Amino acid sequence: GSTSEMTDSHPAERRVPRIGFRASIVTLFVAAVLIVGLTLVWLSFSRVSVITRSAATTFIDKVAQLGADRIDAKFRNVRDSLEILAGLPPIQSAEIEDNTRLYALMASMLRNNPQIFNLYVGYEDGSFLEMDVIDRARPAFRASLGVDTDAAFRLVIISRTGAASSPVTVYLSENLIQVAETAGPSTYDPRQRPWYVEAFRDDKTLLTGPYVFYASGQPGYTLRTPLKEGRRGVVAADLLLDRLQAMLGEQKLGDSGLAFLFNASDRIVAHPEMSRLMDEIPERGDALPGIGAVKLPGLAQAIDAWRKGSIAQQFFADPAGLTYVAAFQSIETAGNANIKLAVIASLDEFFSDIIRERWRLFSVTLGFVLGMLPLACWVGSMVARSLSNLARQTDEIQHFQLAERPRLRSAIHEIDELGRSVFAMRTVIRNFASFVPRPIVRQLVESGTSLQLGGTRREVTALFTDVADFTAKTEKADP
């Protein structure tokens, strides 16, 4: 019991691990350089990354805006042509037969709008006038017509005003000279076509489609507007899908960039490879491909984030780790069709120069840190050597080794002051030992006992001696 009590009352002291001056100072300097250097590396890397993303955001947004403006401008040009066409008296009064001046004006509008395939107008009584640019459709369209190569325009006339007349198709040369004439489509009724029906159902949007055109059998969009004066009817123009594909192809950035149009239902309504995407839809009917057809897994989430946060620029990554930046802009002329333009680019590809500079800056900064390590080691060793010397001198003084030593000097003020103090302490103790017996001085130094008034009671033996005739002899001696 007593042994246990003694053990508990005097627990063993824990030994604190100790390291030398040199190791501690060098470690401290190296750690400081590494922390500061690597912090600068991280900050520079992070800052360049932020600048890269900021530049990408600004640039992609500007590209998307310009792309949307271009598409809007093309749509507006067609809309302006339709409004001019709708304001012509022959169109308002349905004077569409043998009207060469009207045909010439329509041909001029088609020449000035290379993005459209045709212009046409349909009336509530079933009358219809259409002018197509034959070579703007696929080559198979001309082959199906079986007309001479001189034929540049196809003119379809279905007039139901007055005495009923048979529909007729007239082929005109580039100079509007008739080169052929055949019977027109007897079963065609414009009032049953989507563009006619939707023009009166929704007059706030210009677009109908995409759907397959009756004339060419190709998919595309119709821009249409109802007649505001004269006969009730609709004027329209067809924008072939391949023309829109080429238009979107001009908006892409880099080799992997992409620009496409999509609607509020996340359906792609126009894409540089729209024909291929639609062919991939099994039994599609009138269905449009979804966003997933683009095969960028993070794109759908980016669109959702844009809709929820109203931030038009989004970043996302694919499974391969490539980072993409996307921007979304509305097509104003689409109206209630709510069509948006998406512009996507690979950040790694499009900003490769900036990213390469970022890694170069990282390498330079890291090289600077590594280059500073020898300097840090040298400075640490220098400081450690001075402190180690001071520690050795104080240890000598403690053990009463008072041999003469030069004063330690250092470029570091504090170490220089400490060296002065140690030198002064050595001098004081050596001089003190000249008047007080060294054993007593050594005992005071080694024990750490301080001198103070008072004393201790001890048993001692005192011996008093004298040198014979000491005074007389010293009076005659030199100092």
Side-chain angles (χ1 to χ4, degrees):
S2 60
T3 304
S4 175
E5 291 174 1
M6 290 179 63
T7 303
D8 293 340
S9 60
H10 300 284
E13 293 185 0
R14 295 182 179 178
R15 299 188 62 182
V16 179
R18 303 177 187 276
I19 58 176
F21 272 123
R22 183 183 301 275
S24 60
I25 295 299
V26 170
T27 301
L28 180 63
F29 271 88
V30 170
V33 170
L34 284 176
I35 291 173
V36 174
L38 292 179
T39 300
L40 291 175
V41 169
W42 181 82
L43 289 176
S44 63
F45 194 90
S46 175
R47 183 58 181 165
V48 173
S49 298
V50 170
I51 293 174
T52 301
R53 285 186 169 244
S54 177
T57 298
T58 303
F59 187 76
I60 200 76
D61 184 57
K62 181 61 67 175
V63 170
Q65 288 180 1
L66 292 175
D69 290 343
R70 290 192 191 101
I71 294 174
D72 269 325
K74 292 182 182 295
F75 285 170
R76 281 194 296 269
N77 288 340
V78 178
R79 179 194 63 190
D80 293 344
S81 296
L82 293 179
E83 290 179 353
I84 293 173
L85 191 62
L88 297 176
I91 294 294
Q92 294 175 356
S93 61
E95 298 175 10
I96 58 177
E97 288 186 281
D98 298 324
N99 195 332
T100 55
R101 298 180 67 179
L102 175 61
Y103 305 155
L105 182 57
M106 293 176 68
S108 178
M109 289 180 175
L110 288 170
R111 292 189 186 99
N112 292 329
N113 290 279
Q115 66 270 22
I116 61 176
F117 167 59
N118 56 12
L119 287 170
Y120 49 95
V121 55
Y123 297 93
E124 62 178 350
D125 65 350
S127 296
F128 180 71
L129 173 66
E130 175 180 348
M131 178 175 278
D132 307 329
V133 182
I134 298 174
D135 289 331
R136 288 183 185 172
R138 294 174 182 171
F141 177 60
R142 175 179 285 276
S144 66
L145 298 178
V147 294
D148 190 80
T149 55
D150 292 338
F153 299 97
R154 186 185 73 151
L155 192 64
V156 178
I157 305 169
I158 303 175
S159 178
R160 306 197 186 280
T161 58
S165 58
S166 299
V168 62
T169 299
V170 178
Y171 297 96
L172 305 175
S173 67
E174 189 65 36
N175 297 324
L176 302 183
I177 299 173
Q178 182 172 330
V179 295
E181 180 177 331
T182 61
S186 59
T187 59
Y188 182 79
D189 188 344
R191 297 166 295 184
Q192 298 177 359
R193 299 299 294 167
W195 54 270
Y196 189 95
V197 175
E198 292 186 10
F200 295 108
R201 182 185 301 164
D202 182 9
D203 60 355
K204 295 181 180 180
T205 179
L206 285 174
L207 289 178
T208 295
Y211 67 101
V212 176
F213 298 146
Y214 180 88
S216 65
Q218 294 178 240
Y221 292 88
T222 292
L223 285 82
R224 73 286 186 286
T225 183
L227 293 173
K228 296 179 175 58
E229 296 182 11
R231 301 279 295 274
R232 178 180 171 86
V234 176
V235 292
D238 287 342
L239 179 63
L240 288 174
L241 200 57
D242 57 356
R243 291 282 176 174
L244 195 54
Q245 289 176 185
M247 190 188 308
L248 290 171
E250 296 172 357
Q251 312 303 321
K252 79 170 188 175
L253 297 173
D255 296 332
S256 62
L258 176 64
F260 65 91
L261 299 176
F262 65 100
N263 59 21
S265 302
D266 285 346
R267 294 288 177 177
I268 299 174
V269 297
H271 186 280
E273 299 180 359
M274 188 68 179
S275 300
R276 178 183 61 80
L277 295 183
M278 295 187 71
D279 290 339
E280 291 177 355
I281 301 175
E283 301 178 0
R284 69 174 188 270
D286 292 330
L288 294 171
I291 295 296
V294 179
K295 297 180 180 179
L296 286 176
L299 180 57
Q301 289 80 358
I303 293 175
D304 289 339
W306 161 59
R307 288 196 174 117
K308 292 176 182 177
S310 299
I311 300 176
Q313 304 83 33
Q314 297 290 331
F315 291 89
F316 64 95
D318 65 3
L322 289 177
T323 301
Y324 291 86
V325 57
F328 309 100
Q329 290 290 333
S330 298
I331 304 300
E332 295 180 3
T333 51
N336 291 344
N338 198 16
I339 294 178
K340 312 293 182 182
L341 171 66
V343 178
I344 305 167
S346 169
L347 190 67
D348 297 334
E349 174 193 337
F350 199 73
F351 293 93
S352 57
D353 291 341
I354 297 178
I355 294 173
R356 190 161 47 249
E357 288 298 323
R358 180 179 66 180
W359 283 106
R360 185 177 292 115
L361 177 61
F362 175 82
S363 301
V364 169
T365 309
L366 187 60
F368 170 76
V369 171
L370 295 177
M372 288 298 293
L373 287 181
L375 177 61
C377 292
W378 177 77
V379 173
S381 297
M382 181 182 66
V383 174
R385 187 165 51 251
S386 300
L387 293 177
S388 179
N389 194 355
L390 286 173
R392 186 171 57 256
Q393 291 191 29
T394 54
D395 187 66
E396 289 176 353
I397 293 172
Q398 182 180 358
H399 291 85
F400 211 68
Q401 299 173 5
L402 303 178
E404 187 74 21
R405 298 231 181 245
R407 175 189 167 184
L408 187 145
R409 298 183 180 276
S410 173
I412 301 175
H413 177 72
E414 288 75 7
I415 296 179
D416 188 70
E417 285 294 313
L418 187 59
R420 184 187 62 79
S421 299
V422 170
F423 181 79
M425 181 174 62
R426 180 188 294 274
T427 302
V428 168
I429 292 177
R430 189 171 56 250
N431 291 336
F432 180 64
S434 300
F435 299 96
V436 178
R438 282 178 177 264
I440 296 176
V441 176
R442 180 181 294 109
Q443 182 180 356
L444 291 174
V445 171
E446 291 179 350
S447 65
T449 304
S450 59
L451 296 176
Q452 57 185 1
L453 293 177
T456 58
R457 188 178 297 276
R458 297 182 183 180
E459 291 185 3
V460 299
T461 298
L463 172 64
F464 296 90
T465 65
D466 189 16
V467 178
D469 299 327
F470 179 78
T471 302
K473 291 179 179 180
T474 56
E475 286 179 347
K476 298 177 182 179
D478 293 335

